[in-house]
Amino acid sequence: MRVLRRGDVGADVAEIRSLLTAVNMLPPASDTTANDTTHTPGDQQFDAVVEEAVRTFQQHRGLMTDGVVGPATYRALRGASFHLGSRPLAYMMSAQVHGDDVFALQERLTELGYDAGRPDGVFGPRTEAALRNFQRDYGLVIDGICGPGTVRALRQLSPRASGGRPVLLREQEEVRKAGPRLRGKRIVIDPGHGGEDPGIEVHGVREADIAWDLARRLEGRMAATGMDALISRGPDQTPSEADRAAFANEASADMLLSLHCDYNTSPRAQGVASFHFGTGNGTTSTVGELLAGFIQRELVARTDLIDCRTHPRTWELLRLTRCPAVRVEIGYLTNQEDRSRMADPHFRDVVAEGLLVAVKRLYLLGENDQPTGTFTFADVLRHELTKQ
């Protein structure tokens, strides 16, 4: 569908209004258009009320809060209309099924002890494998399809205890098993934008160029530690977020770091923020959240960037990447001070070192660690050469 924003009219807008009403973000059209004096039916107008409802929905779902209905927001709105049992669920390679019903299935399987991965609302091969295991254990037809019989069994078999963070335990155990050394670990470095998409551009400073240069500096440092560092795009390429996630998945990456700068209509906005997968309702990539925290602390301690903290988001790159993924917004190019910092090659060296140290801290899991901001590239190399 086309991108919809305030001022648009038509049947597509009517569908958006209907979806917003279904998730209690918008009252029925008759309640919002009593004073409508135009000749266009009120339920086909994308007005200020609809824009505010879209913003509220986006905020609740960890989407970009811009009040515009693009592909990601439309997909989330459509997915929110489904509940577990409202349709059959199955894994389809060509067009994966997504929605709140898939999310509920993943949560229920996880509570029952089956490894469906972190709940992300996408019916992928890991969810199918967990569902088949459940069907086998409970004497159901093992077809990998969540139909009425499977839904009935899932509802009858309520877990004896709920709560806790089983996904956290699994993800932390994977990090622990990987060991503290960086050597052999595969990381995808994702410089934002690129090619015909420069990203933010202010006074000749382009986000795509900054991200590319920073990615190359980080790649060199990681290669020196023995890591297998891969860059997601070439200098003249502009892959989509889905393509970047697919690149990381096909490479069987251990983690992904996406590098960006930020912007704001106010020139006073400045600082660094990190984002990990999370729905805002407690479901999160726990290792991604942990890595985002390390990155924030290291960069704030090493630079004079303001701490804009870590945040959960359901952006496509974070949602589709199977490994822990973090997007870092390093400074606002619309802020003169931040822009001057990012244009300085020495500053980018400091940022690259901070990112590397944050990754090392993740794998150390608190052992043989040093105070934030004091761990150097030389220290990391020494750790790699020392038996651990």
Side-chain angles (χ1 to χ4, degrees):
M1 64 170 290
R2 63 192 177 103
V3 174
L4 300 173
R5 51 175 51 84
R6 186 173 179 176
D8 288 338
V9 295
D12 289 344
V13 176
E15 181 189 9
I16 297 305
R17 295 187 71 121
S18 176
L19 291 171
L20 287 167
T21 300
V23 295
N24 299 317
M25 293 290 172
L26 193 69
S30 59
D31 294 345
T32 61
T33 59
N35 299 320
D36 184 19
T37 59
T38 70
H39 296 293
T40 304
D43 63 358
Q44 292 192 13
Q45 292 183 339
F46 197 124
D47 55 18
V49 176
V50 174
E51 182 182 58
E52 184 59 30
V54 170
R55 288 181 181 275
T56 302
F57 177 80
Q58 290 170 328
Q59 189 173 34
H60 287 179
R61 293 287 171 143
L63 298 163
M64 191 73 73
T65 310
D66 56 8
V68 176
V69 180
T73 298
Y74 179 73
R75 181 174 53 248
L77 276 168
R78 288 284 300 167
S81 66
F82 297 110
H83 63 271
L84 187 59
S86 62
R87 57 175 176 169
L89 299 174
Y91 173 54
M92 293 184 288
M93 292 184 63
S94 57
Q96 290 187 341
V97 178
H98 58 83
D100 284 16
D101 50 350
V102 180
F103 183 88
L105 171 64
Q106 292 168 327
E107 280 201 319
R108 186 63 58 87
L109 289 170
T110 299
E111 288 175 346
L112 291 169
Y114 296 92
D115 183 8
R118 66 169 186 253
D120 58 5
V122 180
F123 198 114
R126 196 165 176 179
T127 302
E128 182 189 42
L131 181 60
R132 286 181 177 274
N133 288 337
F134 169 78
Q135 291 173 327
R136 182 196 64 232
D137 291 346
Y138 288 92
L140 303 170
V141 176
I142 307 173
D143 56 8
I145 299 174
C146 186
T150 299
V151 171
R152 189 161 48 248
L154 286 166
R155 287 174 175 164
Q156 290 172 347
L157 293 164
S158 298
R160 293 180 180 274
S162 60
R165 301 180 74 180
V167 177
L168 168 64
L169 298 176
R170 287 197 187 101
E171 290 189 350
Q172 285 191 337
E173 179 62 13
E174 288 176 4
V175 172
R176 188 193 67 78
K177 285 182 177 179
R181 289 187 182 276
L182 296 179
R183 178 172 298 279
K185 292 180 173 62
R186 178 167 293 181
I187 185 167
V188 168
I189 307 169
D190 174 47
H193 306 281
E196 296 180 355
D197 175 16
I200 306 157
E201 184 172 0
V202 183
H203 297 309
V205 181
R206 299 171 12 129
E207 180 184 8
D209 297 338
I210 294 291
W212 175 257
D213 180 79
L214 182 56
R216 293 304 302 271
R217 292 169 191 268
L218 183 57
E219 177 193 32
R221 286 164 173 76
M222 289 185 163
T225 68
M227 296 184 78
D228 186 6
L230 307 174
I231 297 183
S232 65
R233 68 166 176 88
D236 300 320
Q237 297 174 324
T238 316
S240 67
E241 288 207 346
D243 288 339
R244 296 169 194 253
F247 177 84
N249 293 338
E250 290 168 7
S252 299
D254 294 298
M255 69 176 61
L256 177 145
L257 285 180
S258 189
L259 309 176
H260 289 258
C261 300
D262 214 334
Y263 80 99
N264 196 284
T265 54
S266 170
R268 299 179 64 181
Q270 59 185 132
V272 56
S274 299
F275 302 86
H276 58 88
F277 174 79
T279 62
N281 64 1
T283 298
T284 184
S285 166
T286 49
V287 173
E289 182 180 3
L290 189 61
L291 177 59
F294 284 134
I295 288 173
Q296 275 299 114
R297 290 192 288 275
E298 285 298 329
L299 294 188
V300 170
R302 292 165 187 272
T303 70
D304 54 357
L305 290 170
I306 293 175
D307 185 3
C308 296
R309 302 184 299 280
T310 65
H311 308 273
R313 290 292 185 270
T314 58
W315 296 336
E316 197 166 44
L317 178 67
L318 303 178
R319 179 174 57 84
L320 296 179
T321 306
R322 288 196 292 267
C323 63
V326 173
R327 171 168 167 163
V328 193
E329 301 275 0
I330 308 163
Y332 283 74
L333 292 188
T334 46
N335 177 271
Q336 183 177 353
E337 294 179 12
D338 280 5
R339 185 170 65 251
S340 297
R341 294 181 183 100
M342 291 307 299
D344 181 359
H346 174 70
F347 182 86
R348 297 198 293 272
D349 277 335
V350 173
V351 171
E353 181 176 71
L355 292 170
L356 174 66
V357 168
V359 173
K360 179 64 175 177
R361 286 189 186 282
L362 175 71
Y363 286 107
L364 284 175
L365 289 175
E367 298 180 8
N368 301 316
D369 212 341
Q370 295 178 210
T372 300
T374 65
F375 215 165
T376 66
F377 179 48
D379 292 332
V380 172
L381 292 178
R382 226 174 357 257
H383 269 249
E384 294 303 307
L385 295 173
T386 302
K387 290 184 178 181
Q388 299 183 38

